[in-house]
Structures are given as C-alpha cells and as structure tokens.
Amino acid sequence: MTTNIDFIANPSARQKGDKADTAFLSAEKAAVVRDYFKSFAEYAPTPLASLPGLSKTLGVASVYVKDESKRMGLNAFKVLGCGFAIASVIAERLGVDISELTAEAIRSDATRKAVGEITFVSATDGNHGRGVAWAARQMGQKSVIYMPKGSSLTRLANIQAEGAEASITDMNYDDAVRLAWKQSQEKGWVMVQDTAWKGYEDIPAWIMQGYMTMAFEALEQLDAIKASAPTHIFLQAGVGSYAGGIQGFLATAFGENRPITTVVEPHKANCIYKSAEAGDGEPRFTTGDMDTLMAGLACGEPNIIGWDILRDYADGFISCPDWVAANGMRILGAPVAGDPQVISGESGAVTAGLLHLIMTRPELGYIREQLKIDSDSRVLLISTEGDTDPDIYRDITWFGRHTENEEEKQC
C-alpha cells in the first residue's frame, strides 16, 4: 500500500534575503499577551505532556505535546487569538494600550459605557466561534456566529451556551466568512476573523499575536524542567494564522537557530500546501465543500499575513488524508505505557499521527531525511483541541472509524 502523503521541502526557509516581517510576533509582545490573560481567573498555562514512551517507539530524543484541551475551560486554543483581538479592539476604542487592560477593567461597567454596545461577528467550524462568544460575553457584549454546512450540532450548542446568536449555514467556510464580512459592513458589527486580506489585517494580526501564548508557555515550561528547546515542531494549518503566528514567534525568538518547522493540512483543505506547491510566492485557494474530518482546518483561503511568514520561514509543507488525524487521536488517547493520556480532537491530533507515520514507514524516509529528524530530535506538537465533538471522538477511538484501509477503499 502506498502511503498517500504529499510533501514539499522549502530550502529557501534557511536562505538569507528579504523575508516577511515578524517583529510584531516578538517575545516581548507575547509577554504582554500572556499578562493580559493572566488577569483572568480562568487562565492557567496548559499542560506540556512529556511522552518518553512514544519518543522511544519513534526513535527520537523526546516528544512533548502541548495540551490545549485545558485552555480556559473551552477545550481548545482559539480563545487566545480571538480573545486578545477583542481586547485589542476595546483598547483601541478606549484609547489605551492593551498592556493597561485587565480582566477586571474589560468587564467593568465603565468600559462598557465608554465603548457602547458592540456586536462581534465571525465564521467558524466551532472552536473559534466559541472563543469569540466567550470573550464577547465577558464584557457584556453580543456575538453572532455563522457556521459552515456540515458543522457539528454539539459545537453549535457550545457556542450558543456562551450567549451567541449562532446558526449553521448552507455555505462552505470561506463563503460563511464572506457572509460575516457582509453583515459587519451593513450592520456596523466588528468582524473577528483570522482570515486576513488587504484592508482587513489588524484583527487577524492581533489574533496571531494571541496564538503566540502557546509557544511562549511551552518554552517556559521546557526551561523550568531544564529541557532543551525543540529541534522540530509540526504546526496544523487552516488559513495559516495559528501556524504563521507560532512560526513568526519562533523566527523572532531564535533567528537562524529556530526549530525546523513543518506545516500540516488535510488533502481536502490544503490551501497553504497548494500555495507552496505553486512556487511563485502567491497564495492559492482550495474550493468546494472541503469535507475533511479535520473540521478546524477546513479553510480554503490563506491568511495573507500568515502565508507570507510560512512561505519565508517554514521548512516543509505536508498534505495528508483524514486517517492520519484519526490515528493521532488513537495514539494520544491510548498512550504507550507510562506516558500520560492526551485527549485530542481531529484537528489537534493530526501532527501526532503524522509524526508516527513518517517515523515508522520506510517509504517516507525521504521526509525524515529532508526534515533532519533522527535520534537526537526533540519534537514539539500542539494538540490544539480536545474532544470538541465527543461523538466523533468516540467513533474514532472506541469504534475504530477512519482507518487507512477504510479510507483507501472509499477512494
């Protein structure tokens, strides 16, 4: 059986020359972001799970998994981006620097009176919209969330439970984004979206800054246990804002000594991979239903800020089938003896599934060689979500859905 993995190396990532500006993704800014979130009682650094058993199985020095299922009671990382962006909108309207805002201040009647009534609008498969709704509710504001067709009813209910007006549309993700934008323009709402285009860049940049928190925490956690910084990191990409935010932070913090980074996407929604494949530096779109298991990555149009950073700094791009994510869920959910369990959803686990695959399949040795992964490698993965749809999670981990053989037969 041929392993259905597409890989592109990016040798220009390590070459000198004009590159995308990453100064806005500095460690100093990451500290400001983290300090803002520290003012919330709900905040705590998410666990950094060490998996020595898996490391030995795969033949690498170490594997660490940042477990975002523990993020502020929301079971996913997204609130870091949209929460910081919404706070930045409020700071701008108040005429203060974001470093002056705290949870108490942003929740206060005085702040609400000063900024007036705001409706925040967004498109989401679930996690981002839940984060927007949570952040809006924190300050007594409204939110309207549009979800693409095929979205999980459980994720819809979770968004509505945070006080949002939320609905599932008959559109794909990118068309739902366009609907949200249209509504924001017609009704004076504030759109909070991590998809950036010319003329809509401030909020996506703030979202990317929020995402730096994960890498900032992880490096602190590694330092606390006197572990060396990672040599390799795998980053999931939807529109590329999360991947671009983390990549930009690493490029700014480490320079030429930054970890080797690989961007991972599903075959059915691989706009970053297609952009890299085109080879001309310009973003490319994926169209259609994008009905991938990895709902959080089902995005067809790159964030232009994130794409520019990934184009210039990421070392490789991978497009893979859905069963890779399902394998990752099973690997993390039923760990090697002695390793902690990590409950990881479809989009969260794809990097674990991919790492296992490329380290155990002889035919993928060329990827190991290109990425320089060997027995000395220290790998960092970020599980971006927990079981945000428990039914899907059980279907995969209990009943063995989405195996390699099953998906191959459907092709």
Side-chain angles (χ1 to χ4, degrees):
M1 182 181 296
T2 302
T3 307
N4 185 18
I5 301 293
D6 296 326
F7 171 74
I8 297 173
N10 184 21
S12 66
R14 300 287 164 169
Q15 296 172 359
K16 297 187 182 300
D18 292 335
K19 290 181 180 288
D21 182 21
T22 61
F24 75 105
L25 297 168
S26 67
E28 292 76 18
K29 189 64 180 185
V32 170
V33 177
R34 200 271 299 274
D35 285 347
Y36 168 71
F37 282 114
K38 279 180 72 174
S39 70
F40 286 81
E42 296 89 345
Y43 171 81
T46 53
L48 184 67
S50 175
L51 305 179
L54 182 62
S55 306
K56 184 176 180 181
T57 299
L58 301 183
V60 296
S62 63
V63 175
Y64 287 92
V65 178
K66 188 82 166 128
D67 182 2
E68 290 299 303
S69 72
K70 311 298 185 186
R71 183 64 68 184
M72 298 177 79
L74 295 172
N75 208 10
F77 78 108
K78 284 285 192 175
V79 70
L80 294 172
C82 55
F84 185 70
I86 286 174
S88 298
V89 170
I90 299 301
E92 189 175 69
R93 293 199 176 192
L94 291 172
V96 303
D97 190 83
I98 183 65
S99 62
E100 299 176 36
L101 278 187
T102 63
E104 182 180 3
I106 210 163
R107 288 166 165 162
S108 69
D109 291 339
T111 293
R112 191 169 185 277
K113 183 177 180 180
V115 302
E117 292 187 354
I118 306 174
T119 297
F120 296 98
V121 62
S122 189
T124 181
D125 72 279
N127 296 336
H128 174 79
R130 189 179 184 186
V132 170
W134 182 90
R137 183 171 59 80
Q138 292 296 313
M139 61 192 71
Q141 301 290 1
K142 297 179 180 178
S143 58
V144 176
I145 307 297
Y146 299 110
M147 302 180 72
K149 61 183 174 182
S151 292
S152 160
L153 293 177
T154 299
R155 291 175 178 141
L156 172 64
N158 286 337
I159 294 170
Q160 292 171 332
E162 297 293 343
E165 178 187 318
S167 59
I168 297 175
T169 69
D170 61 356
M171 308 171 181
N172 70 16
Y173 171 80
D174 297 295
D175 287 335
V177 170
R178 280 184 270 275
L179 173 62
W181 176 249
K182 181 174 182 288
Q183 294 289 77
S184 74
Q185 297 303 292
E186 291 179 356
K187 298 184 178 181
W189 297 347
V190 176
M191 182 168 171
V192 182
Q193 205 69 45
D194 55 3
T195 302
W197 57 85
K198 288 183 179 179
Y200 182 73
E201 296 167 302
D202 287 349
I203 287 175
W206 290 332
I207 288 173
M208 292 172 69
Q209 289 176 328
Y211 292 156
M212 290 191 293
T213 306
M214 290 174 281
F216 190 78
E217 288 177 356
L219 293 179
E220 283 192 333
Q221 289 166 316
L222 288 169
D223 186 61
I225 60 174
K226 303 190 183 314
S228 299
T231 60
H232 294 76
I233 182 168
F234 290 78
L235 297 170
Q236 305 89 320
V239 298
S241 58
Y242 149 73
I246 301 295
Q247 177 69 86
F249 170 79
L250 295 172
T252 305
F254 290 98
E256 294 304 313
N257 295 320
R258 67 186 181 273
I260 293 171
T261 308
T262 307
V263 179
V264 184
E265 295 170 282
H267 281 331
K268 294 180 179 179
N270 57 356
C271 59
I272 301 296
Y273 179 88
K274 286 183 180 297
S275 301
E277 185 179 42
D280 60 7
E282 297 300 316
R284 293 295 193 277
F285 294 173
T286 300
T287 58
D289 290 342
M290 294 178 285
D291 56 336
T292 170
L293 172 68
M294 293 170 261
L297 308 182
C299 312
E301 300 181 16
N303 171 333
I304 58 171
I305 307 170
W307 159 242
D308 284 352
I309 291 171
L310 295 173
R311 176 198 63 205
D312 291 349
Y313 295 97
D315 296 281
F317 302 88
I318 287 179
S319 177
C320 66
D322 285 354
W323 60 261
V324 176
N327 276 1
M329 294 166 68
R330 291 184 277 262
I331 288 166
L332 295 176
V336 176
D339 285 357
Q341 181 188 49
V342 177
I343 303 297
S344 184
E346 315 91 80
S347 299
V350 63
T351 53
L354 182 66
L355 177 64
H356 180 272
L357 194 68
I358 64 177
M359 296 306 296
T360 58
R361 294 289 178 93
E363 67 270 25
L364 298 181
Y366 73 100
I367 298 180
R368 297 193 292 275
E369 182 177 342
Q370 290 273 2
L371 296 178
K372 301 177 181 178
I373 304 180
D374 57 27
S375 59
D376 295 322
S377 298
R378 303 181 298 273
V379 183
L380 174 63
L381 309 176
I382 301 177
S383 173
T384 51
E385 65 173 355
D387 55 344
T388 50
D389 189 319
D391 291 336
I392 291 176
Y393 185 83
R394 283 192 293 271
D395 229 17
I396 290 168
T397 57
W398 286 19
F399 306 118
R401 292 297 309 278
H402 293 281
T403 64
E404 182 176 5
N405 289 336
E406 176 188 336
E407 290 191 9
E408 288 289 334
K409 288 176 182 177
Q410 292 173 357
C411 293

